[in-house]
Amino acid sequence: METIEWLGKAISVREVARPEGWSCRVLVAEDGEAFLEYLVSVGPYQVDLGVVHRLRADDFAAFEAGKLDLGVLARNLADHDQAIGAFDRRD
């Protein structure tokens, strides 16, 4: 088990999948809640930052049934984060 932070809370999770060919992984908490951790390149030197996204129960069920490609979802989320500058630091 490892710990992630979600909405200011520490949550114990275990890795259950790492979609081949993608920089992401699926994590599940003890209560069954599922998360997708993916990388976003930030800053002028494009440093990769791990980001956690909570998966809806139906998304996780679709993934388990082979109907949802979480790698594509991770890429789309990362592209969106980069497009809106979600991690830009302006002091």
Side-chain angles (χ1 to χ4, degrees):
M1 297 291 277
E2 65 181 280
T3 303
I4 60 169
E5 187 166 323
W6 173 253
L7 299 177
K9 297 186 314 184
I11 300 174
S12 293
V13 295
R14 60 185 166 78
E15 182 178 309
V16 297
R18 189 177 292 249
E20 191 172 328
W22 299 96
S23 295
C24 64
R25 61 192 185 134
V26 180
L27 307 167
V28 175
E30 293 171 340
D31 66 1
E33 192 167 29
F35 299 88
L36 177 63
E37 182 181 56
Y38 58 94
L39 298 177
V40 176
S41 296
V42 297
Y45 300 106
Q46 297 299 293
V47 174
D48 289 334
L49 175 67
V51 179
V52 175
H53 172 82
R54 186 173 57 114
L55 292 172
R56 297 184 324 222
D58 56 330
D59 285 339
F60 186 62
F63 168 71
E64 287 185 309
K67 297 179 181 178
L68 177 65
D69 187 335
L70 289 179
V72 172
L73 176 60
R75 183 189 63 212
N76 292 340
L77 288 167
D79 288 348
H80 176 263
D81 291 342
Q82 289 171 331
I84 65 169
F87 303 100
D88 289 346
R89 298 198 186 262
R90 292 186 176 90
D91 297 327

